[in-house]
């Protein structure tokens, strides 16, 4: 991590100003596997706290968190637990892909980021944001910039006065091969400026 942050601060003084003001961020991590992917599906377009509460209700309801258990749960049961119809369909699609061995999560750590992306994007409901976060948090991929993340986009807009995502992609090329670490700094700034903390563990 030290090498990555030194590289970034040499590339752009804005990163040094974030560290000077708020200190160094921790590298976020989550367990690999089915549970985390379900949680990430629930986190789409809602707050992490809200998604975590729904996830914990679901986990308490099913007991053992296994794809074969989540597939037969009815839409009404999911809704009673706070899971929308759309996200219930995403969870079932993920569980079915794993049960049918169309997606083999245990093989992902041995694949490149692009290979992982190709595998995950085949599953209904999993888009680039979910894939990016899984790669960064679970597989510790070092060079990703999740421009589907609202906090990342807003922070770049604020600090670099860029509006178009194409400009953000171009800006971030100079942060490679440590764009994930740049993202950690952007999140760190975003949360600290708003006096917010996030616990990623569950």
């Amino acid at each position: 991590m030290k090498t990555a942050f030194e590289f970034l601060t040499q590339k752009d003084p804005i990163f040094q100003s974030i560290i000077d003001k708020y200190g160094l961020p921790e590298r976020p991590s989550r367990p690999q596997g089915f549970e985390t992917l379900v949680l990430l599906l629930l986190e789409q377009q809602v707050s992490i706290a809200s998604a975590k509460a729904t996830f914990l209700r679901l986990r308490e309801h099913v007991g053992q968190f296994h794809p074969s258990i989540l597939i037969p749960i009815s839409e009404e049961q999911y809704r009673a637990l706070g899971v929308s119809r759309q996200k219930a369909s995403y969870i079932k699609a993920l569980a079915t892909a794993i049960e049918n061995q169309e997606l083999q999560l245990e093989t992902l750590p041995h694949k490149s980021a692009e290979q992982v992306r190709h595998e995950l994007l085949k599953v209904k409901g999993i888009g680039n944001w979910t894939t990016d976060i899984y790669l960064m948090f679970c597989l510790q991929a070092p060079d990703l910039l999740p421009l589907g993340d609202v906090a990342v986009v807003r922070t770049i807009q604020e600090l670099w006065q860029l509006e178009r995502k194409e400009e953000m992609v171009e800006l971030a090329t100079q942060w490679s091969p440590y764009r994930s670490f740049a993202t950690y700094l952007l999140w760190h700034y975003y949360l600290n400026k708003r006096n917010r903390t996030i616990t990623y563990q569950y």
Side-chain angles (χ1 to χ4, degrees), residues 56-71:
L56 292 175
R57 282 196 301 272
L58 178 59
R59 191 166 69 173
E60 183 178 2
H61 177 77
V62 300
Q64 185 182 4
F65 216 96
H66 190 273
S68 63
I69 295 174
L70 294 187
I71 294 170

Side-chain angles (χ1 to χ4, degrees), residues 95-108:
T96 300
I98 293 171
E99 279 292 279
N100 294 341
Q101 296 194 327
E102 295 162 2
L103 175 63
Q104 298 178 315
L105 296 179
E106 66 278 4
T107 69
L108 298 186

Side-chain angles (χ1 to χ4, degrees), residues 13 16 23 32 37 42 58 62 74 85 92 100 113 134 140 142 150-151 153-154 162 170-172 174-175 189 195 200:
Q16 187 63 58
Q32 298 174 22
L37 274 171
L42 294 172
L58 178 59
V62 300
S74 70
R85 175 185 301 177
K92 289 191 175 199
N100 294 341
Y134 191 83
Q140 302 292 292
V150 172
V153 171
R154 287 182 180 171
L162 299 178
E170 185 177 351
L171 169 71
Q174 65 183 304
W175 305 340
Y189 171 90
N195 293 313
Y200 293 110

Side-chain angles (χ1 to χ4, degrees), residues 51-188:
K52 182 178 179 181
T54 302
F55 173 83
L56 292 175
R57 282 196 301 272
L58 178 59
R59 191 166 69 173
E60 183 178 2
H61 177 77
V62 300
Q64 185 182 4
F65 216 96
H66 190 273
S68 63
I69 295 174
L70 294 187
I71 294 170
I73 296 176
S74 70
E75 183 182 304
E76 290 73 24
Q77 286 176 300
Y78 272 114
R79 281 215 309 246
L81 294 165
V83 182
S84 70
R85 175 185 301 177
Q86 184 179 53
K87 288 188 178 179
S89 73
Y90 294 168
I91 292 170
K92 289 191 175 199
L94 171 62
T96 300
I98 293 171
E99 279 292 279
N100 294 341
Q101 296 194 327
E102 295 162 2
L103 175 63
Q104 298 178 315
L105 296 179
E106 66 278 4
T107 69
L108 298 186
H110 311 293
K111 296 183 176 181
S112 69
E114 284 311 307
Q115 288 173 321
V116 171
R117 187 179 304 282
H118 176 74
E119 292 295 315
L120 291 179
L121 289 178
K122 289 190 289 187
V123 180
K124 176 186 175 184
I126 295 183
N128 281 315
W129 179 84
T130 303
T131 302
D132 285 342
I133 301 303
Y134 191 83
L135 277 163
M136 292 170 66
F137 283 53
C138 303
L139 302 180
Q140 302 292 292
D143 195 28
L144 294 173
L145 183 75
L147 287 179
D149 189 273
V150 172
V152 169
V153 171
R154 287 182 180 171
T155 302
I156 293 175
Q157 288 172 337
E158 181 178 341
L159 295 179
W160 283 273
Q161 285 78 54
L162 299 178
E163 291 297 327
R164 294 170 52 244
K165 288 191 177 179
E166 294 82 0
E167 295 175 309
M168 298 179 188
V169 170
E170 185 177 351
L171 169 71
T173 57
Q174 65 183 304
W175 305 340
S176 185
Y178 298 116
R179 283 175 289 190
S180 297
F181 292 87
T183 301
Y184 305 147
L185 283 165
L186 300 179
W187 279 329
H188 193 52

Side-chain angles (χ1 to χ4, degrees), residues 4-50:
F5 291 133
E6 285 179 350
F7 174 88
L8 292 169
T9 54
Q10 289 169 5
K11 287 290 181 180
D12 197 314
I14 289 178
F15 289 122
Q16 187 63 58
S17 68
I18 293 173
I19 294 169
D20 289 344
K21 190 167 186 178
Y22 298 119
L24 286 169
E26 294 182 6
R27 187 175 190 177
S29 66
R30 284 175 168 174
Q32 298 174 22
F34 178 60
E35 284 196 18
T36 294
L37 274 171
V38 171
L39 178 57
L40 291 176
L41 289 174
L42 294 172
E43 285 181 2
Q44 292 176 5
Q45 299 180 322
V46 302
S47 72
I48 287 176
S50 172

